[in-house]
C-alpha cells in the first residue's frame, strides 16, 4: 500500500512546489500594487511624484543605463556604444574568464588610462535590465523583489543611495582623451534626498 501511495505523494509535492514558484513573481507585483494603493494620500502623491521625477533623471542617465543593458554586452561612453574589446556579461555579470571586469576596472578611476573604476564593478543582472524601458517600467522593476535581487523597499533605497558603484556616477573621472565624463543632471545630494522622499511618501509611480 505504501509503495502505491509514494509516487502519488511525490507528484502532489512537485505540483505544489511549481505553483509556489510561479506565485512568487505574481506576489511581487501584488505587493507593489498594494503599497501604492494603500499608503498614499493626495499630498503624499504630489510629493512622491516630484521626487520620482528627480530620481528618474538620474536612473535613466547613461551613467546608470550603460551597465543595465538588455543583452549580453555592456555599453560605454557618452554615446552608449557597445563596450570595446568584445566584452561580454559572463556567467556572474563580471565578464568572461579572459575578460573579467575587475581586470581593467579597479576600485577607483585611472586618470592615466581613462578606465573608470569603483568597488564591485560589474553589470547589473539581466533581470535588472533597464535598457529600452521607460521610467515607469524601471521604477516597477526596482521595486519588484522577484527581479531586484530580493530587496524590500528599505534595501532598495539603501542600494540606490549608498552603494559605491551607484554613487560613482557623480565621480566618473575622465575618458582616454582626458575629457571629463558627463555626470547625471541632478546633484548627488539632491538625488539621494529625492530617493528617500519618494520611498517615504509611498514610492508613487505615475501612469505614463
Amino acid at each position: 500500500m505504501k509503495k502505491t501511495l509514494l509516487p502519488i505523494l511525490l507528484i502532489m509535492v512537485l505540483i505544489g512546489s511549481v505553483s509556489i514558484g510561479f506565485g512568487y513573481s505574481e506576489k511581487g507585483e501584488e505587493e507593489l500594487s498594494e503599497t501604492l494603493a494603500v499608503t498614499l494620500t493626495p499630498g503624499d502623491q504630489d510629493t512622491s511624484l516630484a521626487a520620482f521625477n528627480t530620481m528618474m533623471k538620474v536612473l535613466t542617465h547613461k551613467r546608470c543605463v550603460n551597465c543595465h543593458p538588455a543583452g549580453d554586452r555592456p555599453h560605454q561612453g557618452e554615446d552608449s556604444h557597445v563596450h570595446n574589446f568584445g566584452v561580454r556579461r559572463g556567467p556572474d555579470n563580471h565578464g568572461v574568464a579572459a575578460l573579467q571586469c575587475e581586470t581593467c576596472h579597479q576600485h577607483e578611476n585611472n586618470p592615466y588610462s581613462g578606465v573608470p573604476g569603483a568597488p564591485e564593478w560589474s553589470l547589473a543582472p539581466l533581470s535588472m535590465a533597464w535598457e529600452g524601458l521607460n521610467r515607469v517600467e524601471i521604477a516597477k522593476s526596482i521595486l519588484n523583489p522577484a527581479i531586484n535581487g530580493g530587496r524590500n523597499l528599505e534595501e532598495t533605497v539603501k542600494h540606490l543611495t549608498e552603494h559605491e558603484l551607484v554613487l560613482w556616477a557623480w565621480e566618473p573621472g575622465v575618458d582616454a582623451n582626458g575629457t571629463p565624463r558627463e555626470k547625471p543632471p541632478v546633484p548627488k545630494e539632491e538625488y539621494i534626498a529625492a530617493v528617500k522622499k519618494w520611498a517615504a511618501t509611498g514610492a508613487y509611480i505615475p501612469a505614463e
Side-chain angles (χ1 to χ4, degrees):
M1 183 65 176
K2 291 182 179 178
K3 291 183 179 179
T4 304
L5 289 175
L6 184 57
I8 298 175
L9 288 173
L10 288 174
I11 291 173
M12 292 176 66
V13 169
L14 179 60
I15 292 174
S17 300
V18 171
S19 298
I20 292 171
F22 281 115
Y24 180 68
S25 178
E26 293 171 355
K27 184 179 179 182
E29 292 288 345
E30 290 172 0
E31 289 176 346
L32 173 58
S33 299
E34 289 173 0
T35 298
L36 301 179
V38 172
T39 60
L40 292 181
T41 66
D44 284 340
Q45 183 169 312
D46 291 342
T47 301
S48 201
L49 176 58
F52 171 87
N53 289 333
T54 299
M55 176 182 73
M56 295 311 299
K57 290 178 182 176
V58 174
L59 299 189
T60 57
H61 189 267
K62 68 194 77 173
R63 291 283 85 82
C64 292
V65 179
N66 276 358
C67 286
H68 283 260
D72 188 44
R73 304 286 304 279
H75 293 213
Q76 68 177 120
E78 307 306 291
D79 59 353
S80 297
H81 61 268
V82 175
H83 200 296
N84 296 333
F85 315 120
V87 170
R88 296 189 177 281
R89 176 181 297 278
D92 61 355
N93 305 303
H94 285 260
V96 296
L99 286 172
Q100 292 279 297
C101 298
E102 295 84 354
T103 301
C104 295
H105 298 282
Q106 304 299 307
H107 283 197
E108 57 187 20
N109 297 322
N110 186 325
Y112 304 104
S113 67
V115 176
E120 301 182 64
W121 194 278
S122 71
L123 287 181
L126 195 54
S127 67
M128 302 179 194
W130 295 351
E131 180 187 3
L133 302 185
N134 61 33
R135 302 190 315 159
V136 169
E137 292 167 332
I138 291 175
K140 287 182 176 180
S141 74
I142 66 176
L143 289 180
N144 188 345
I147 59 174
N148 74 0
R151 296 185 180 94
N152 60 27
L153 181 57
E154 181 180 358
E155 292 166 334
T156 296
V157 170
K158 183 178 178 64
H159 174 74
L160 291 174
T161 61
E162 297 184 22
H163 198 284
E164 291 180 281
L165 185 52
V166 175
L167 300 183
W168 167 86
W170 285 270
E171 301 292 340
V174 298
D175 64 17
N177 297 317
T179 303
R181 292 186 178 87
E182 182 179 304
K183 298 179 182 180
V186 177
K188 181 173 68 176
E189 297 307 323
E190 184 178 339
Y191 157 77
I192 291 173
V195 173
K196 293 180 177 179
K197 178 66 72 176
W198 177 65
T201 51
Y204 176 68
I205 302 175
E208 293 183 340

